[in-house]
C-alpha cells in the first residue's frame, strides 16, 4: 500500500470511529395534545399522560406539558365511566408538538366516520413533530393516510382488521411498539406507558426516562421490550 493510500485508509478508519455528538435535548416547554372522544379508554389516556406530565419533575425549565382536547371541550365519559373535562376544544386548542391518539370505543368504526374529528386530526398530525397512538388509536391515524408505506402496530387482537382496512400499512406482530420516523404506534392496555417513555428517552435521554419511570414505580429498559425502529 502506497503512503498516500495508507493515509487515506487511516483517515477513513478515524472517520468511522469518530464519536457522533449527542443531540441536544429540546429546550423549553413542549405541548402534548391528547385528542379524546366519548368512550376513550382509561389506561390509553392516563398512562401516557402521566409519563409525559412527570417530565416536569426532572427539569422544571424543559419538559412536556400535556393537555386534553375534544371536539367541543365539554366533559365526556371514558368507556369505564370516569368523567373527563378537556382543556380545549378543536376550535381553541394550541398547536401540539406531540400528538397522542388514545383508543376509544369507536376507533375502529364510528370515529372514522366523524368528519370534524378526522379533519382536525389530519391537520394536527401534519403539524406535530411526534405522533403516538395507543391501542386502536392507530386506526384513525391510518385513516389520515399518514401511515401509508410505514410500519405500525396496534392492539394484538385487532391487527388482522387493521391490516385488512389499511393494506398500505406494514402491520407488525410480536412487538409492543413500532417507531417509524416521527410515528410511534403501540399495543396499549397495561403497556400504554411504553411509547411515552420511549419518546421521553429519545428527547431527553435514558437517565431522564429511567428516573421518570422510577417515580411512577415502573421498570424501564427499552432494550428488553419487543419493539421495532425504522
Amino acid at each position: 500500500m502506497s503512503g498516500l493510500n495508507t493515509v487515506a485508509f487511516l483517515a477513513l478508519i478515524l472517520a468511522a470511529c469518530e464519536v457522533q455528538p449527542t443531540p441536544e435535548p429540546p429546550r423549553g416547554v413542549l405541548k402534548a395534545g391528547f385528542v379524546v372522544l366519548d368512550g376513550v379508554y382509561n389506561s390509553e389516556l392516563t398512562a401516557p399522560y402521566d409519563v409525559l406530565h412527570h417530565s416536569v419533575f426532572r427539569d422544571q425549565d424543559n419538559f412536556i406539558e400535556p393537555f386534553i382536547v375534544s371536539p367541543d371541550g365539554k366533559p365526556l365519559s371514558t368507556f369505564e365511566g370516569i368523567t373527563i373535562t378537556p382543556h380545549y376544544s378543536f376550535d381553541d386548542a394550541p398547536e401540539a408538538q406531540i400528538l397522542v391518539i388514545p383508543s376509544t370505543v369507536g376507533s375502529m368504526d364510528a370515529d372514522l366516520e366523524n368528519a370534524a374529528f378526522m379533519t382536525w386530526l389530519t391537520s394536527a398530525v401534519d403539524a406535530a413533530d411526534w405522533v403516538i397512538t395507543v391501542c386502536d388509536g392507530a386506526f384513525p391515524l391510518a385513516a389520515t393516510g399518514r401511515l401509508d408505506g410505514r410500519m405500525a402496530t396496534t392492539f394484538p387482537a385487532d391487527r388482522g382488521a387493521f391490516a385488512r382496512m389499511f393494506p398500505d400499512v406494514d402491520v407488525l406482530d410480536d412487538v409492543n411498539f413500532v417507531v417509524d420516523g416521527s410515528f410511534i404506534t403501540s399495543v396499549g392496555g397495561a403497556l400504554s406507558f411504553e411509547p411515552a417513555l420511549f419518546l421521553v428517552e429519545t428527547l431527553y435521554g435514558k437517565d431522564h426516562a429511567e428516573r421518570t419511570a422510577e417515580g411512577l414505580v415502573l421498570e424501564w429498559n427499552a432494550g428488553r421490550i419487543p419493539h421495532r425502529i425504522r
Side-chain angles (χ1 to χ4, degrees), residues 30-33 67 92-99 120 123-124 126-129:
L30 300 180
K31 295 284 189 178
F67 64 86
D92 61 6
E95 188 172 290
Q97 289 82 35
I98 301 164
L99 181 68
W120 185 91
S123 178
D126 289 344
D129 297 323

Side-chain angles (χ1 to χ4, degrees), residues 141-220:
L141 175 59
T144 69
R146 302 316 190 255
L147 286 181
D148 289 356
R150 295 184 180 274
M151 301 186 306
T153 196
T154 187
F155 185 66
D158 296 331
R159 286 171 178 155
F162 189 63
R164 289 190 297 272
M165 291 175 65
F166 305 105
D168 292 328
V169 180
D170 183 8
V171 183
L172 300 191
D173 298 318
D174 302 322
V175 291
N176 292 8
F177 62 89
V178 175
V179 184
D180 192 331
S182 60
F183 298 96
I184 306 174
T185 55
S186 63
V187 298
L191 304 180
S192 295
F193 64 88
E194 291 183 347
L197 279 170
F198 178 85
L199 180 59
V200 166
E201 179 171 327
T202 299
L203 295 176
Y204 299 111
K206 185 176 181 180
D207 179 67
H208 188 297
E210 288 177 345
R211 288 189 293 129
T212 296
E214 183 180 3
L216 291 166
V217 197
L218 296 169
E219 275 194 46
W220 175 247

Side-chain angles (χ1 to χ4, degrees), residues 32-127:
F34 284 67
V35 57
V36 301
L37 300 176
D38 269 311
V40 65
Y41 291 101
N42 287 347
S43 57
E44 279 79 14
L45 170 60
T46 60
Y49 194 102
D50 284 354
V51 169
L52 299 186
H53 173 268
H54 280 55
S55 63
V56 70
F57 301 125
R58 309 282 78 82
D59 184 339
Q60 295 188 4
D61 295 315
N62 308 290
F63 61 91
I64 300 167
E65 182 180 275
F67 64 86
I68 297 173
V69 57
S70 72
D72 58 12
K74 295 179 181 179
L76 51 82
S77 294
T78 69
F79 177 78
E80 293 84 0
I82 294 176
T83 298
I84 300 290
T85 302
H87 299 94
Y88 300 100
S89 71
F90 287 172
D91 292 331
D92 61 6
E95 188 172 290
Q97 289 82 35
I98 301 164
L99 181 68
V100 185
I101 311 171
S103 181
T104 80
V105 70
S107 287
M108 298 175 65
D109 40 56
D111 294 354
L112 309 183
E113 303 300 323
N114 184 329
F117 168 65
M118 291 304 305
T119 298
W120 185 91
L121 183 71
T122 302
S123 178
V125 167
D126 289 344

